[in-house]
Amino acid sequence: MDKLIVKGGSKLFGEVSVSGAKNAVLPIMTATLIVPGTYKIKNVPFLRDTQTMIKLLEIIGAKVESSNNVLTIDTTKCNNPHAPYELVKTMRASFYVLGPLLARFHHSKVSLPGGCAWGPRPVDFHIKALRQMKVEVTLDKGDIIADGCPFGAKIEFKKKSVGATGNVLMAASKAKGKTVIINASMEPEIVSLGYFLIKLGAKIEGLGTERITIDPIKNENNNFEFDVIPDRIEAGTFMIAVAATGGEVKLNNVESAHLDSIVQHLGELKISTKINDDEILISSSGNYKSIDMETLEYPGFPTDLQAQWMALMIKAKGSSVITENIYHDRFTHISELLRMGADIKLKNNVAHITGVNELFAAPVMCTDIRASAGLVIAALCANGETEISRIYHIDRGYENIENKFSDIGAMIKRV
Ligand code: UD1
């Protein structure tokens, strides 16, 4: 199994081109199932998760061609509305096929995703919402069986859910009647999915707000191109890495509006970020003080950058707390950071961190995509050579991570 070997101590200088957003492209890939047609998706990151989604679309009957970050997906002959456990268990985002399959076939069988490395991740909001849309949903041998044409409905989520908002948007795009989503997710990835559905022919208002209305597709458009938005989590990971190591790096292909909360938090550390159209320049001395941070739904600080932020805070001056409000158990990286000399105490969903002067290399293990990115950042700041194992987690969500880091001067290699 591949490992990353990271020798700490280098400041980072140069340029990084940010890839397309994993969490935007995955639902868009499933949305191509809604209307039989041929779609060209551009700026697609080459990741394990996009490869898994290609496999899933092929099982459903789509023809997918992939070349140079462009996917051509032909969904005209799809005939198998089933998502098997073997794929869903490796990638929870497979659950995103539920809404599109229902929209097109009025039937779908999708394996119920299990928990994940950091704890349970339920799908009850998806199921409740579909039932409100008059779809019959049952559980049979670990599969969710959904039957019936979705009807437009007023869906109010008790808590914001990216995935449930996405699934309802997609089911609603071919429902009988208008759907209103209240307390919808406002994440850019949901807005981008909404734009894809609008291109298919749906009439959608309120994207990027808590209230979205969807009038289903009447005149289908089934042959078009679509660009994936830049990955704000990848961009944020590099911004935090440069803040931690020190140096000056320009990120290309960013959507700076999506990075407001990160820019603001780095600003509080007096780390400079200069924005120029789709570029952002980060400069850091590598010395900064501790500040508190809490994860929140967009536009708040993303939970997908919490581990990376923790890697930044473990060597900050002073002490700080990180409150994880989205996934209360998402702290598997702490035990690995402790092995490198961090001083962190966890109480419920709050991590108390006291900055240390030095971090030390140690063998550490990845536990999920973002926790792994946190370990890379800590390793870049540690004395000595850190060996990071189980990096298939990183490969699920970061394209060419070791090349992008070595291009800006990090001593990192895959073995
Ligand atoms: C998506 C992202 C993931 C990110 C997360 C939160 C993708 C592919 N994944 O995951 O990277 O960390 O948003 O920003 O885009 N919940 C329920 N019941 C449900 C659904 C969610 O209780 O049916 C809870 C979750 O346990 C969690 C919160 O709602 O506490 C938010 O989860 P959600 O936004 O649904 O996350 P995902 O869409 O799975």
Side-chain angles (χ1 to χ4, degrees), residues 22-24 26-27 92-93 96 118 120-127 158-164 185 187 189 232 297 303-304 325-328 330 370:
K22 170 181 92 71
N23 287 353
L26 294 175
R92 290 177 45 87
Y96 265 133
W118 71 76
R121 288 177 72 182
V123 287
D124 52 322
F125 299 167
H126 304 239
I127 292 169
K158 65 174 182 198
K159 180 177 177 187
K160 288 193 174 64
S161 160
V162 176
S185 281
E187 266 67 1
E189 294 76 18
R232 65 193 168 100
E297 291 94 349
T303 173
D304 284 352
N325 291 312
I326 309 297
Y327 290 109
H328 288 181
R330 192 177 196 173
R370 310 304 173 184

